[in-house]
Amino acid sequence: MTGGEIGVHIQQKVNNFMNQLIQNARVEENRKEFTPLEKPVSAKFLQNAVNGMNDVVSSTNTHLKFEYHDRLNEYYVTIVDDLTQEVVKEIPAKKFLDMHADMAEFMGLLVDKKA
């Protein structure tokens, strides 16, 4: 498999796993009273999610790494090859996040100049 094929294969596995986590969270949420969508998650739930995702991608000799994007104050995921330490895939792509930050900064400058 090439790096691109591995990235797509891993992304599909991660997407399937995340969809299952979301489904489980919805079932759990339905058992409780209504709560906002963006509620804090417990450390145990987050740790289980990360461990589960790493289990999913371990068969392809890769691991997940959570990176912090300074300009957006958001996290993104990189899939890293265990043997070469090369980034196979970024979810979402860092270039996209950089472009988003540039556009947000530009829009802020336009608003400031118009005001």
Side-chain angles (χ1 to χ4, degrees):
M1 256 187 221
T2 66
E5 291 172 338
I6 290 172
V8 169
H9 178 69
I10 293 169
Q11 186 172 0
Q12 289 170 344
K13 282 186 164 187
V14 169
N15 287 343
N16 290 341
F17 182 80
M18 290 304 293
N19 287 337
Q20 185 62 45
L21 281 176
I22 290 167
Q23 181 64 31
N24 290 347
R26 285 183 182 148
V27 168
E28 186 65 29
E29 190 172 292
N30 287 338
R31 292 183 193 158
K32 298 178 182 177
E33 62 186 58
F34 179 73
T35 57
L37 184 60
E38 289 191 19
K39 63 181 180 181
V41 294
S42 69
K44 182 179 177 183
F45 179 82
L46 187 58
Q47 186 63 46
N48 287 340
V50 171
N51 289 341
M53 288 187 292
N54 277 322
D55 288 343
V56 167
V57 297
S58 67
S59 63
T60 58
N61 295 322
T62 58
H63 67 274
L64 300 177
K65 186 175 178 184
F66 290 83
E67 300 279 344
Y68 186 73
H69 194 279
D70 293 326
R71 293 173 54 204
L72 291 177
N73 298 323
E74 296 282 339
Y75 284 93
Y76 63 99
V77 178
T78 58
I79 301 171
V80 181
D81 185 300
D82 288 334
L83 303 174
T84 64
Q85 298 303 309
E86 177 185 344
V87 174
V88 177
K89 184 89 173 165
E90 295 171 329
I91 307 169
K94 186 173 184 312
K95 286 183 181 181
F96 176 77
L97 295 174
D98 290 340
M99 184 175 60
H100 178 88
D102 290 340
M103 288 189 307
E105 183 179 324
F106 179 72
M107 292 304 292
L109 291 174
L110 283 179
V111 171
D112 288 344
K113 286 183 180 179
K114 284 188 174 187

